[in-house]
Amino acid sequence: MPSDATPDPYADPLKFGQRVQILRERRGMTRTQLAGLIGVSPHTLKKIENAQTNAPGLEMVMRIAEALRVRDLADLTGQPDMHVDLFTGPGHPRLAAVKAAVDTFPLTLSVEPPPVAHLEARLHAAWKARHQAPNHREVIGRLLPDLLRDAQALVRHADSSAERRAAQALLAQTYSLSQFFIAYQPDSSLLWRVAERGMIAAQESEDPHTIGVAAWLLAQAHRDSGPRHFDAADAVNLEAVRYLEPVLPDASDDVLAIAGALEFELGYTAARRRETGTAWRHWDRANDMAGRLAADYYHPITSFSQAIMGAHAVTVAVELHQGGESVRQAARADEVTIPSRPRRARHRIEEARGYQLDGQPDVAIATLEKAYRAAPETIKYNGYARSIILEEAESKQVSRRRRASELAVEIGILAA
């Protein structure tokens, strides 16, 4: 690197203050502007940047990170072991009640379980609401505490091994629904408890479809924990694929769909590793499985279907940082309507990432506006969306900055 080049804070072990200055200058911010955002004088900020004062406390570090839109605290501190995702969404108002229901383990049989058919119908209605409601976390967050209580009671009251297996399948499904609610919220330990308990209940059920769904969600929990956990995600995925493989020739649509979803997840993780050939090879295999499903089939949990494969292609291209390819795939995917509102919003977010990579920030913001109209709670809790919006809210282009700022206010990450 030339001696007069700006040091790279992502590569060199610089002091905290130097990193603050470099990241501030990259954002095009003056020292006075940043000082105003974090509530100190420009003189104090200068002393921080020049290491003329003691290292700031955690509260000040977090304020600086937020003002500079740092995605990972390690990027600011220079300490790789200080990995903190700063774009985890805020806690949902119903998170505390769901957490209490997950953590409650009544040891008596005082809770009378509902009939199996009744719980099945309630879970079916909850999944349907999850796909159709724009504020789906609010809807399923309201339902989950009672569903968890009743599913646990059903397992405790089971009289025979067959009844217990059926009850465990319903409990596993309830944990799956819980994981959709908890994802991207500030309680990673709760997410892990739910993912692991769901896998245990699924194994107890001995039902291939239930096991496949639990493995799909557990693999995502591993992968979303960061690159160091990608191997664990692959191990869970591969084990589930091998487990389902013998039953696929005569499998139901649901089992075939979860096998296809697992195959795509292998491609998604490969894309996160920038393994282009492997990523597209798994996408091709998943696409073949989708082709065996009816054109109007839609998996009730994973959204796997023929319709979703275009959206999955956009995701692979984006994770491979192929901006042009992601835009081309987005144009093809838009020919098909995704029935699920949150999944449709997630697809719009992936499209926005592609447009951002391709140097089309105005289209990216317009696409995020579509995501917001489809499912406000999806975009509110999605780190990628929040990152793009916050970045463009500081754009030097006035109309783009205004649109991004208005959207940021709508989803609650900037004050009105």
Side-chain angles (χ1 to χ4, degrees), residues 21 33 92 94 98 114 124 135 189 191 229 254 272 278 280 322 346 375 392 397 404 412:
Q21 181 179 352
Q33 288 172 326
H92 191 278
R94 295 191 181 274
V98 173
H124 176 76
N135 293 317
S189 62
L191 179 71
H229 300 269
D254 284 350
R272 294 278 294 271
T278 302
W280 286 114
Q322 298 173 342
R346 169 67 189 276
E392 298 309 327
Q397 212 281 333

Side-chain angles (χ1 to χ4, degrees), residues 365 369 388-395 398-411 413-414:
I365 291 299
E369 290 171 341
I388 293 171
I389 293 167
L390 289 171
E391 182 175 341
E392 298 309 327
E394 297 176 352
S395 170
V398 176
S399 62
R400 185 190 310 150
R401 182 172 68 245
R402 183 176 61 252
R403 289 182 72 179
S405 297
E406 289 173 351
L407 185 55
V409 170
E410 289 284 350
I411 67 174
I413 57 176
L414 285 180

